[in-house]
mmCIF file with all atom_site columns, all heavy atoms in Angstrom:
data_model
loop_
_atom_site.group_PDB
_atom_site.id
_atom_site.type_symbol
_atom_site.label_atom_id
_atom_site.label_alt_id
_atom_site.label_comp_id
_atom_site.label_asym_id
_atom_site.label_entity_id
_atom_site.label_seq_id
_atom_site.pdbx_PDB_ins_code
_atom_site.Cartn_x
_atom_site.Cartn_y
_atom_site.Cartn_z
_atom_site.occupancy
_atom_site.B_iso_or_equiv
_atom_site.pdbx_formal_charge
_atom_site.auth_seq_id
_atom_site.auth_comp_id
_atom_site.auth_asym_id
_atom_site.auth_atom_id
_atom_site.pdbx_PDB_model_num
ATOM 1   N N   . ASP A 1 1  ? 8.734   6.143  20.117  1.00 91.00 ? 1103 ASP A N   1
ATOM 2   C CA  . ASP A 1 1  ? 7.368   5.814  20.355  1.00 91.00 ? 1103 ASP A CA  1
ATOM 3   C C   . ASP A 1 1  ? 6.711   5.341  18.989  1.00 91.00 ? 1103 ASP A C   1
ATOM 4   O O   . ASP A 1 1  ? 5.752   4.541  18.970  1.00 91.00 ? 1103 ASP A O   1
ATOM 5   C CB  . ASP A 1 1  ? 6.549   7.031  20.749  1.00 91.00 ? 1103 ASP A CB  1
ATOM 6   C CG  . ASP A 1 1  ? 6.955   7.513  22.206  1.00 91.00 ? 1103 ASP A CG  1
ATOM 7   O OD1 . ASP A 1 1  ? 7.526   6.709  22.865  1.00 91.00 ? 1103 ASP A OD1 1
ATOM 8   O OD2 . ASP A 1 1  ? 6.707   8.681  22.508  1.00 91.00 ? 1103 ASP A OD2 1
ATOM 9   N N   . PHE A 1 2  ? 7.345   5.704  17.871  1.00 91.00 ? 1104 PHE A N   1
ATOM 10  C CA  . PHE A 1 2  ? 6.722   5.339  16.586  1.00 91.00 ? 1104 PHE A CA  1
ATOM 11  C C   . PHE A 1 2  ? 7.837   5.655  15.613  1.00 91.00 ? 1104 PHE A C   1
ATOM 12  O O   . PHE A 1 2  ? 8.905   6.382  15.827  1.00 91.00 ? 1104 PHE A O   1
ATOM 13  C CB  . PHE A 1 2  ? 5.475   6.136  16.252  1.00 91.00 ? 1104 PHE A CB  1
ATOM 14  C CG  . PHE A 1 2  ? 5.563   7.566  16.506  1.00 91.00 ? 1104 PHE A CG  1
ATOM 15  C CD1 . PHE A 1 2  ? 6.135   8.539  15.638  1.00 91.00 ? 1104 PHE A CD1 1
ATOM 16  C CD2 . PHE A 1 2  ? 5.063   8.015  17.673  1.00 91.00 ? 1104 PHE A CD2 1
ATOM 17  C CE1 . PHE A 1 2  ? 6.184   9.887  15.853  1.00 91.00 ? 1104 PHE A CE1 1
ATOM 18  C CE2 . PHE A 1 2  ? 5.218   9.493  18.065  1.00 91.00 ? 1104 PHE A CE2 1
ATOM 19  C CZ  . PHE A 1 2  ? 5.785   10.312 17.100  1.00 91.00 ? 1104 PHE A CZ  1
ATOM 20  N N   . PHE A 1 3  ? 7.670   5.067  14.454  1.00 92.00 ? 1105 PHE A N   1
ATOM 21  C CA  . PHE A 1 3  ? 8.777   5.204  13.366  1.00 92.00 ? 1105 PHE A CA  1
ATOM 22  C C   . PHE A 1 3  ? 8.171   4.627  12.154  1.00 92.00 ? 1105 PHE A C   1
ATOM 23  O O   . PHE A 1 3  ? 7.086   3.942  12.072  1.00 92.00 ? 1105 PHE A O   1
ATOM 24  C CB  . PHE A 1 3  ? 10.040  4.464  13.715  1.00 92.00 ? 1105 PHE A CB  1
ATOM 25  C CG  . PHE A 1 3  ? 9.987   2.989  13.878  1.00 92.00 ? 1105 PHE A CG  1
ATOM 26  C CD1 . PHE A 1 3  ? 10.301  2.090  12.861  1.00 92.00 ? 1105 PHE A CD1 1
ATOM 27  C CD2 . PHE A 1 3  ? 9.517   2.416  15.083  1.00 92.00 ? 1105 PHE A CD2 1
ATOM 28  C CE1 . PHE A 1 3  ? 10.258  0.714  12.985  1.00 92.00 ? 1105 PHE A CE1 1
ATOM 29  C CE2 . PHE A 1 3  ? 9.422   1.059  15.233  1.00 92.00 ? 1105 PHE A CE2 1
ATOM 30  C CZ  . PHE A 1 3  ? 9.801   0.164  14.234  1.00 92.00 ? 1105 PHE A CZ  1
ATOM 31  N N   . GLU A 1 4  ? 8.962   4.790  11.062  1.00 95.00 ? 1106 GLU A N   1
ATOM 32  C CA  . GLU A 1 4  ? 8.597   4.238  9.693   1.00 95.00 ? 1106 GLU A CA  1
ATOM 33  C C   . GLU A 1 4  ? 9.608   3.145  9.298   1.00 95.00 ? 1106 GLU A C   1
ATOM 34  O O   . GLU A 1 4  ? 10.767  3.375  9.560   1.00 95.00 ? 1106 GLU A O   1
ATOM 35  C CB  . GLU A 1 4  ? 8.430   5.286  8.600   1.00 95.00 ? 1106 GLU A CB  1
ATOM 36  C CG  . GLU A 1 4  ? 7.253   6.294  8.890   1.00 95.00 ? 1106 GLU A CG  1
ATOM 37  C CD  . GLU A 1 4  ? 7.054   7.201  7.723   1.00 95.00 ? 1106 GLU A CD  1
ATOM 38  O OE1 . GLU A 1 4  ? 7.541   7.063  6.648   1.00 95.00 ? 1106 GLU A OE1 1
ATOM 39  O OE2 . GLU A 1 4  ? 6.423   8.320  8.119   1.00 95.00 ? 1106 GLU A OE2 1
ATOM 40  N N   . LEU A 1 5  ? 9.241   2.024  8.555   1.00 95.00 ? 1107 LEU A N   1
ATOM 41  C CA  . LEU A 1 5  ? 10.082  1.031  8.148   1.00 95.00 ? 1107 LEU A CA  1
ATOM 42  C C   . LEU A 1 5  ? 9.701   0.586  6.865   1.00 95.00 ? 1107 LEU A C   1
ATOM 43  O O   . LEU A 1 5  ? 8.737   -0.152 6.711   1.00 95.00 ? 1107 LEU A O   1
ATOM 44  C CB  . LEU A 1 5  ? 10.227  -0.138 9.314   1.00 95.00 ? 1107 LEU A CB  1
ATOM 45  C CG  . LEU A 1 5  ? 11.073  -1.287 8.768   1.00 95.00 ? 1107 LEU A CG  1
ATOM 46  C CD1 . LEU A 1 5  ? 12.577  -0.866 8.701   1.00 95.00 ? 1107 LEU A CD1 1
ATOM 47  C CD2 . LEU A 1 5  ? 10.804  -2.475 9.753   1.00 95.00 ? 1107 LEU A CD2 1
ATOM 48  N N   . LYS A 1 6  ? 10.576  0.796  5.671   1.00 96.00 ? 1108 LYS A N   1
ATOM 49  C CA  . LYS A 1 6  ? 10.164  0.344  4.427   1.00 96.00 ? 1108 LYS A CA  1
ATOM 50  C C   . LYS A 1 6  ? 11.179  -0.766 4.184   1.00 96.00 ? 1108 LYS A C   1
ATOM 51  O O   . LYS A 1 6  ? 12.074  -0.684 3.597   1.00 96.00 ? 1108 LYS A O   1
ATOM 52  C CB  . LYS A 1 6  ? 10.320  1.419  3.420   1.00 96.00 ? 1108 LYS A CB  1
ATOM 53  C CG  . LYS A 1 6  ? 9.391   2.611  3.540   1.00 96.00 ? 1108 LYS A CG  1
ATOM 54  C CD  . LYS A 1 6  ? 9.565   3.732  2.548   1.00 96.00 ? 1108 LYS A CD  1
ATOM 55  C CE  . LYS A 1 6  ? 8.500   4.709  2.794   1.00 96.00 ? 1108 LYS A CE  1
ATOM 56  N NZ  . LYS A 1 6  ? 8.777   5.839  1.839   1.00 96.00 ? 1108 LYS A NZ  1
ATOM 57  N N   . ASN A 1 7  ? 10.764  -2.032 4.654   1.00 97.00 ? 1109 ASN A N   1
ATOM 58  C CA  . ASN A 1 7  ? 11.538  -3.117 4.686   1.00 97.00 ? 1109 ASN A CA  1
ATOM 59  C C   . ASN A 1 7  ? 11.183  -4.062 3.481   1.00 97.00 ? 1109 ASN A C   1
ATOM 60  O O   . ASN A 1 7  ? 10.110  -4.677 3.388   1.00 97.00 ? 1109 ASN A O   1
ATOM 61  C CB  . ASN A 1 7  ? 11.311  -4.058 6.100   1.00 97.00 ? 1109 ASN A CB  1
ATOM 62  C CG  . ASN A 1 7  ? 12.390  -5.021 6.166   1.00 97.00 ? 1109 ASN A CG  1
ATOM 63  O OD1 . ASN A 1 7  ? 13.557  -4.882 5.830   1.00 97.00 ? 1109 ASN A OD1 1
ATOM 64  N ND2 . ASN A 1 7  ? 12.022  -6.139 6.795   1.00 97.00 ? 1109 ASN A ND2 1
ATOM 65  N N   . GLY A 1 8  ? 12.106  -4.163 2.449   1.00 96.00 ? 1110 GLY A N   1
ATOM 66  C CA  . GLY A 1 8  ? 11.862  -4.800 1.257   1.00 96.00 ? 1110 GLY A CA  1
ATOM 67  C C   . GLY A 1 8  ? 11.151  -4.018 0.307   1.00 96.00 ? 1110 GLY A C   1
ATOM 68  O O   . GLY A 1 8  ? 11.299  -2.785 0.291   1.00 96.00 ? 1110 GLY A O   1
ATOM 69  N N   . GLU A 1 9  ? 10.453  -4.680 -0.674  1.00 96.00 ? 1111 GLU A N   1
ATOM 70  C CA  . GLU A 1 9  ? 9.760   -3.969 -1.645  1.00 96.00 ? 1111 GLU A CA  1
ATOM 71  C C   . GLU A 1 9  ? 8.222   -4.131 -1.546  1.00 96.00 ? 1111 GLU A C   1
ATOM 72  O O   . GLU A 1 9  ? 7.802   -5.108 -0.949  1.00 96.00 ? 1111 GLU A O   1
ATOM 73  C CB  . GLU A 1 9  ? 10.103  -4.456 -2.933  1.00 96.00 ? 1111 GLU A CB  1
ATOM 74  C CG  . GLU A 1 9  ? 11.708  -4.349 -3.270  1.00 96.00 ? 1111 GLU A CG  1
ATOM 75  C CD  . GLU A 1 9  ? 12.153  -2.968 -3.473  1.00 96.00 ? 1111 GLU A CD  1
ATOM 76  O OE1 . GLU A 1 9  ? 11.277  -2.095 -3.898  1.00 96.00 ? 1111 GLU A OE1 1
ATOM 77  O OE2 . GLU A 1 9  ? 13.243  -2.677 -3.095  1.00 96.00 ? 1111 GLU A OE2 1
ATOM 78  N N   . LYS A 1 10 ? 7.514   -3.172 -2.018  1.00 96.00 ? 1112 LYS A N   1
ATOM 79  C CA  . LYS A 1 10 ? 6.013   -3.352 -2.122  1.00 96.00 ? 1112 LYS A CA  1
ATOM 80  C C   . LYS A 1 10 ? 5.685   -4.682 -3.013  1.00 96.00 ? 1112 LYS A C   1
ATOM 81  O O   . LYS A 1 10 ? 6.350   -4.856 -3.928  1.00 96.00 ? 1112 LYS A O   1
ATOM 82  C CB  . LYS A 1 10 ? 5.347   -2.107 -2.729  1.00 96.00 ? 1112 LYS A CB  1
ATOM 83  C CG  . LYS A 1 10 ? 5.334   -0.890 -1.917  1.00 96.00 ? 1112 LYS A CG  1
ATOM 84  C CD  . LYS A 1 10 ? 4.295   -0.816 -0.854  1.00 96.00 ? 1112 LYS A CD  1
ATOM 85  C CE  . LYS A 1 10 ? 4.096   0.546  -0.196  1.00 96.00 ? 1112 LYS A CE  1
ATOM 86  N NZ  . LYS A 1 10 ? 3.083   0.602  0.786   1.00 96.00 ? 1112 LYS A NZ  1
ATOM 87  N N   . VAL A 1 11 ? 4.669   -5.391 -2.442  1.00 95.00 ? 1113 VAL A N   1
ATOM 88  C CA  . VAL A 1 11 ? 4.326   -6.569 -3.168  1.00 95.00 ? 1113 VAL A CA  1
ATOM 89  C C   . VAL A 1 11 ? 3.035   -6.280 -4.046  1.00 95.00 ? 1113 VAL A C   1
ATOM 90  O O   . VAL A 1 11 ? 2.339   -5.290 -3.831  1.00 95.00 ? 1113 VAL A O   1
ATOM 91  C CB  . VAL A 1 11 ? 4.049   -7.751 -2.362  1.00 95.00 ? 1113 VAL A CB  1
ATOM 92  C CG1 . VAL A 1 11 ? 5.237   -7.991 -1.432  1.00 95.00 ? 1113 VAL A CG1 1
ATOM 93  C CG2 . VAL A 1 11 ? 2.817   -7.479 -1.381  1.00 95.00 ? 1113 VAL A CG2 1
ATOM 94  N N   . LYS A 1 12 ? 2.803   -7.165 -4.871  1.00 93.00 ? 1114 LYS A N   1
ATOM 95  C CA  . LYS A 1 12 ? 1.617   -7.112 -5.760  1.00 93.00 ? 1114 LYS A CA  1
ATOM 96  C C   . LYS A 1 12 ? 0.340   -7.368 -4.893  1.00 93.00 ? 1114 LYS A C   1
ATOM 97  O O   . LYS A 1 12 ? 0.366   -8.312 -4.281  1.00 93.00 ? 1114 LYS A O   1
ATOM 98  C CB  . LYS A 1 12 ? 1.656   -8.062 -6.919  1.00 93.00 ? 1114 LYS A CB  1
ATOM 99  C CG  . LYS A 1 12 ? 0.482   -7.926 -8.006  1.00 93.00 ? 1114 LYS A CG  1
ATOM 100 C CD  . LYS A 1 12 ? 0.659   -8.770 -9.138  1.00 93.00 ? 1114 LYS A CD  1
ATOM 101 C CE  . LYS A 1 12 ? -0.361  -8.584 -10.121 1.00 93.00 ? 1114 LYS A CE  1
ATOM 102 N NZ  . LYS A 1 12 ? -1.887  -8.817 -9.742  1.00 93.00 ? 1114 LYS A NZ  1
ATOM 103 N N   . LEU A 1 13 ? -0.510  -6.452 -4.843  1.00 94.00 ? 1115 LEU A N   1
ATOM 104 C CA  . LEU A 1 13 ? -1.736  -6.474 -4.007  1.00 94.00 ? 1115 LEU A CA  1
ATOM 105 C C   . LEU A 1 13 ? -2.874  -7.259 -4.749  1.00 94.00 ? 1115 LEU A C   1
ATOM 106 O O   . LEU A 1 13 ? -2.806  -7.295 -5.995  1.00 94.00 ? 1115 LEU A O   1
ATOM 107 C CB  . LEU A 1 13 ? -2.249  -5.082 -3.498  1.00 94.00 ? 1115 LEU A CB  1
ATOM 108 C CG  . LEU A 1 13 ? -1.211  -4.433 -2.679  1.00 94.00 ? 1115 LEU A CG  1
ATOM 109 C CD1 . LEU A 1 13 ? -1.689  -3.088 -2.298  1.00 94.00 ? 1115 LEU A CD1 1
ATOM 110 C CD2 . LEU A 1 13 ? -0.945  -5.209 -1.414  1.00 94.00 ? 1115 LEU A CD2 1
ATOM 111 N N   . PRO A 1 14 ? -4.037  -7.609 -4.113  1.00 92.00 ? 1116 PRO A N   1
ATOM 112 C CA  . PRO A 1 14 ? -4.996  -8.325 -4.825  1.00 92.00 ? 1116 PRO A CA  1
ATOM 113 C C   . PRO A 1 14 ? -5.800  -7.438 -5.895  1.00 92.00 ? 1116 PRO A C   1
ATOM 114 O O   . PRO A 1 14 ? -6.479  -7.916 -6.748  1.00 92.00 ? 1116 PRO A O   1
ATOM 115 C CB  . PRO A 1 14 ? -5.959  -8.855 -3.651  1.00 92.00 ? 1116 PRO A CB  1
ATOM 116 C CG  . PRO A 1 14 ? -5.579  -7.907 -2.513  1.00 92.00 ? 1116 PRO A CG  1
ATOM 117 C CD  . PRO A 1 14 ? -4.075  -7.580 -2.690  1.00 92.00 ? 1116 PRO A CD  1
ATOM 118 N N   . PHE A 1 15 ? -5.704  -6.148 -5.684  1.00 96.00 ? 1117 PHE A N   1
ATOM 119 C CA  . PHE A 1 15 ? -6.321  -5.214 -6.653  1.00 96.00 ? 1117 PHE A CA  1
ATOM 120 C C   . PHE A 1 15 ? -5.353  -4.148 -7.175  1.00 96.00 ? 1117 PHE A C   1
ATOM 121 O O   . PHE A 1 15 ? -4.209  -3.957 -6.684  1.00 96.00 ? 1117 PHE A O   1
ATOM 122 C CB  . PHE A 1 15 ? -7.492  -4.585 -5.940  1.00 96.00 ? 1117 PHE A CB  1
ATOM 123 C CG  . PHE A 1 15 ? -8.515  -5.364 -5.375  1.00 96.00 ? 1117 PHE A CG  1
ATOM 124 C CD1 . PHE A 1 15 ? -8.569  -5.551 -4.027  1.00 96.00 ? 1117 PHE A CD1 1
ATOM 125 C CD2 . PHE A 1 15 ? -9.413  -6.044 -6.248  1.00 96.00 ? 1117 PHE A CD2 1
ATOM 126 C CE1 . PHE A 1 15 ? -9.617  -6.524 -3.530  1.00 96.00 ? 1117 PHE A CE1 1
ATOM 127 C CE2 . PHE A 1 15 ? -10.393 -6.980 -5.586  1.00 96.00 ? 1117 PHE A CE2 1
ATOM 128 C CZ  . PHE A 1 15 ? -10.359 -7.169 -4.328  1.00 96.00 ? 1117 PHE A CZ  1
ATOM 129 N N   . SER A 1 16 ? -5.808  -3.731 -8.333  1.00 96.00 ? 1118 SER A N   1
ATOM 130 C CA  . SER A 1 16 ? -4.947  -2.643 -8.929  1.00 96.00 ? 1118 SER A CA  1
ATOM 131 C C   . SER A 1 16 ? -4.823  -1.289 -8.169  1.00 96.00 ? 1118 SER A C   1
ATOM 132 O O   . SER A 1 16 ? -5.743  -1.144 -7.371  1.00 96.00 ? 1118 SER A O   1
ATOM 133 C CB  . SER A 1 16 ? -5.563  -2.431 -10.357 1.00 96.00 ? 1118 SER A CB  1
ATOM 134 O OG  . SER A 1 16 ? -6.812  -1.743 -10.300 1.00 96.00 ? 1118 SER A OG  1
ATOM 135 N N   . ASN A 1 17 ? -3.830  -0.514 -8.481  1.00 95.00 ? 1119 ASN A N   1
ATOM 136 C CA  . ASN A 1 17 ? -3.725  0.769  -7.891  1.00 95.00 ? 1119 ASN A CA  1
ATOM 137 C C   . ASN A 1 17 ? -4.941  1.671  -8.172  1.00 95.00 ? 1119 ASN A C   1
ATOM 138 O O   . ASN A 1 17 ? -5.386  2.377  -7.409  1.00 95.00 ? 1119 ASN A O   1
ATOM 139 C CB  . ASN A 1 17 ? -2.419  1.451  -8.348  1.00 95.00 ? 1119 ASN A CB  1
ATOM 140 C CG  . ASN A 1 17 ? -1.190  0.897  -7.643  1.00 95.00 ? 1119 ASN A CG  1
ATOM 141 O OD1 . ASN A 1 17 ? -1.289  0.298  -6.583  1.00 95.00 ? 1119 ASN A OD1 1
ATOM 142 N ND2 . ASN A 1 17 ? 0.051   1.023  -8.450  1.00 95.00 ? 1119 ASN A ND2 1
ATOM 143 N N   . LYS A 1 18 ? -5.380  1.405  -9.317  1.00 97.00 ? 1120 LYS A N   1
ATOM 144 C CA  . LYS A 1 18 ? -6.705  2.226  -9.729  1.00 97.00 ? 1120 LYS A CA  1
ATOM 145 C C   . LYS A 1 18 ? -7.726  1.895  -8.892  1.00 97.00 ? 1120 LYS A C   1
ATOM 146 O O   . LYS A 1 18 ? -8.589  2.786  -8.373  1.00 97.00 ? 1120 LYS A O   1
ATOM 147 C CB  . LYS A 1 18 ? -6.975  2.039  -11.164 1.00 97.00 ? 1120 LYS A CB  1
ATOM 148 C CG  . LYS A 1 18 ? -8.193  2.806  -11.722 1.00 97.00 ? 1120 LYS A CG  1
ATOM 149 C CD  . LYS A 1 18 ? -8.585  2.488  -13.068 1.00 97.00 ? 1120 LYS A CD  1
ATOM 150 C CE  . LYS A 1 18 ? -9.848  3.254  -13.565 1.00 97.00 ? 1120 LYS A CE  1
ATOM 151 N NZ  . LYS A 1 18 ? -11.006 2.969  -12.730 1.00 97.00 ? 1120 LYS A NZ  1
ATOM 152 N N   . GLU A 1 19 ? -7.923  0.623  -8.591  1.00 97.00 ? 1121 GLU A N   1
ATOM 153 C CA  . GLU A 1 19 ? -8.998  0.174  -7.674  1.00 97.00 ? 1121 GLU A CA  1
ATOM 154 C C   . GLU A 1 19 ? -9.002  0.850  -6.332  1.00 97.00 ? 1121 GLU A C   1
ATOM 155 O O   . GLU A 1 19 ? -9.882  1.354  -5.824  1.00 97.00 ? 1121 GLU A O   1
ATOM 156 C CB  . GLU A 1 19 ? -8.983  -1.377 -7.478  1.00 97.00 ? 1121 GLU A CB  1
ATOM 157 C CG  . GLU A 1 19 ? -9.891  -1.894 -6.524  1.00 97.00 ? 1121 GLU A CG  1
ATOM 158 C CD  . GLU A 1 19 ? -11.405 -2.073 -7.104  1.00 97.00 ? 1121 GLU A CD  1
ATOM 159 O OE1 . GLU A 1 19 ? -11.655 -2.001 -8.255  1.00 97.00 ? 1121 GLU A OE1 1
ATOM 160 O OE2 . GLU A 1 19 ? -12.269 -2.350 -6.234  1.00 97.00 ? 1121 GLU A OE2 1
ATOM 161 N N   . TYR A 1 20 ? -7.700  0.849  -5.737  1.00 97.00 ? 1122 TYR A N   1
ATOM 162 C CA  . TYR A 1 20 ? -7.643  1.335  -4.424  1.00 97.00 ? 1122 TYR A CA  1
ATOM 163 C C   . TYR A 1 20 ? -7.828  2.859  -4.514  1.00 97.00 ? 1122 TYR A C   1
ATOM 164 O O   . TYR A 1 20 ? -8.395  3.574  -3.540  1.00 97.00 ? 1122 TYR A O   1
ATOM 165 C CB  . TYR A 1 20 ? -6.271  1.099  -3.846  1.00 97.00 ? 1122 TYR A CB  1
ATOM 166 C CG  . TYR A 1 20 ? -6.070  -0.283 -3.434  1.00 97.00 ? 1122 TYR A CG  1
ATOM 167 C CD1 . TYR A 1 20 ? -5.244  -1.294 -4.036  1.00 97.00 ? 1122 TYR A CD1 1
ATOM 168 C CD2 . TYR A 1 20 ? -6.928  -0.826 -2.311  1.00 97.00 ? 1122 TYR A CD2 1
ATOM 169 C CE1 . TYR A 1 20 ? -5.196  -2.575 -3.760  1.00 97.00 ? 1122 TYR A CE1 1
ATOM 170 C CE2 . TYR A 1 20 ? -6.693  -2.107 -1.872  1.00 97.00 ? 1122 TYR A CE2 1
ATOM 171 C CZ  . TYR A 1 20 ? -5.878  -2.999 -2.564  1.00 97.00 ? 1122 TYR A CZ  1
ATOM 172 O OH  . TYR A 1 20 ? -5.723  -4.345 -2.168  1.00 97.00 ? 1122 TYR A OH  1
ATOM 173 N N   . LYS A 1 21 ? -7.327  3.680  -5.485  1.00 97.00 ? 1123 LYS A N   1
ATOM 174 C CA  . LYS A 1 21 ? -7.487  5.040  -5.750  1.00 97.00 ? 1123 LYS A CA  1
ATOM 175 C C   . LYS A 1 21 ? -9.073  5.383  -5.833  1.00 97.00 ? 1123 LYS A C   1
ATOM 176 O O   . LYS A 1 21 ? -9.472  6.306  -5.136  1.00 97.00 ? 1123 LYS A O   1
ATOM 177 C CB  . LYS A 1 21 ? -6.771  5.480  -6.901  1.00 97.00 ? 1123 LYS A CB  1
ATOM 178 C CG  . LYS A 1 21 ? -5.242  5.682  -6.626  1.00 97.00 ? 1123 LYS A CG  1
ATOM 179 C CD  . LYS A 1 21 ? -4.574  6.078  -7.953  1.00 97.00 ? 1123 LYS A CD  1
ATOM 180 C CE  . LYS A 1 21 ? -3.104  6.111  -7.794  1.00 97.00 ? 1123 LYS A CE  1
ATOM 181 N NZ  . LYS A 1 21 ? -2.301  6.462  -8.958  1.00 97.00 ? 1123 LYS A NZ  1
ATOM 182 N N   . ASP A 1 22 ? -9.750  4.471  -6.514  1.00 98.00 ? 1124 ASP A N   1
ATOM 183 C CA  . ASP A 1 22 ? -11.291 4.709  -6.641  1.00 98.00 ? 1124 ASP A CA  1
ATOM 184 C C   . ASP A 1 22 ? -11.825 4.637  -5.392  1.00 98.00 ? 1124 ASP A C   1
ATOM 185 O O   . ASP A 1 22 ? -12.833 5.456  -5.034  1.00 98.00 ? 1124 ASP A O   1
ATOM 186 C CB  . ASP A 1 22 ? -11.813 3.729  -7.707  1.00 98.00 ? 1124 ASP A CB  1
ATOM 187 C CG  . ASP A 1 22 ? -11.401 3.980  -9.099  1.00 98.00 ? 1124 ASP A CG  1
ATOM 188 O OD1 . ASP A 1 22 ? -10.993 5.035  -9.440  1.00 98.00 ? 1124 ASP A OD1 1
ATOM 189 O OD2 . ASP A 1 22 ? -11.643 3.158  -9.955  1.00 98.00 ? 1124 ASP A OD2 1
ATOM 190 N N   . ARG A 1 23 ? -11.466 3.639  -4.581  1.00 98.00 ? 1125 ARG A N   1
ATOM 191 C CA  . ARG A 1 23 ? -12.170 3.502  -3.278  1.00 98.00 ? 1125 ARG A CA  1
ATOM 192 C C   . ARG A 1 23 ? -11.725 4.708  -2.305  1.00 98.00 ? 1125 ARG A C   1
ATOM 193 O O   . ARG A 1 23 ? -12.672 5.164  -1.672  1.00 98.00 ? 1125 ARG A O   1
ATOM 194 C CB  . ARG A 1 23 ? -11.568 2.247  -2.563  1.00 98.00 ? 1125 ARG A CB  1
ATOM 195 C CG  . ARG A 1 23 ? -11.965 0.921  -3.249  1.00 98.00 ? 1125 ARG A CG  1
ATOM 196 C CD  . ARG A 1 23 ? -11.361 -0.275 -2.503  1.00 98.00 ? 1125 ARG A CD  1
ATOM 197 N NE  . ARG A 1 23 ? -11.668 -1.525 -3.270  1.00 98.00 ? 1125 ARG A NE  1
ATOM 198 C CZ  . ARG A 1 23 ? -11.281 -2.686 -2.903  1.00 98.00 ? 1125 ARG A CZ  1
ATOM 199 N NH1 . ARG A 1 23 ? -10.752 -2.955 -1.858  1.00 98.00 ? 1125 ARG A NH1 1
ATOM 200 N NH2 . ARG A 1 23 ? -11.689 -3.708 -3.594  1.00 98.00 ? 1125 ARG A NH2 1
ATOM 201 N N   . ILE A 1 24 ? -10.636 5.192  -2.370  1.00 98.00 ? 1126 ILE A N   1
ATOM 202 C CA  . ILE A 1 24 ? -10.214 6.232  -1.545  1.00 98.00 ? 1126 ILE A CA  1
ATOM 203 C C   . ILE A 1 24 ? -10.885 7.532  -2.010  1.00 98.00 ? 1126 ILE A C   1
ATOM 204 O O   . ILE A 1 24 ? -11.305 8.319  -1.145  1.00 98.00 ? 1126 ILE A O   1
ATOM 205 C CB  . ILE A 1 24 ? -8.690  6.527  -1.554  1.00 98.00 ? 1126 ILE A CB  1
ATOM 206 C CG1 . ILE A 1 24 ? -8.011  5.399  -0.909  1.00 98.00 ? 1126 ILE A CG1 1
ATOM 207 C CG2 . ILE A 1 24 ? -8.268  7.811  -0.801  1.00 98.00 ? 1126 ILE A CG2 1
ATOM 208 C CD1 . ILE A 1 24 ? -8.183  5.178  0.607   1.00 98.00 ? 1126 ILE A CD1 1
#
């Protein structure tokens, strides 16, 4: 019904990890 798939590598996102952490 559901699963996880880590296909490939994480790509560079438009914002820094710090930016996303601040938002969260």
Side-chain angles (χ1 to χ4, degrees):
D1103 294 339
F1104 45 82
F1105 63 98
E1106 295 183 17
L1107 175 65
K1108 296 179 180 179
N1109 194 34
E1111 302 293 332
K1112 290 277 192 181
V1113 301
K1114 186 178 185 298
L1115 296 177
F1117 300 106
S1118 66
N1119 285 333
K1120 180 182 181 302
E1121 172 81 8
Y1122 288 112
K1123 287 178 182 176
D1124 286 346
R1125 294 179 185 184
I1126 295 298

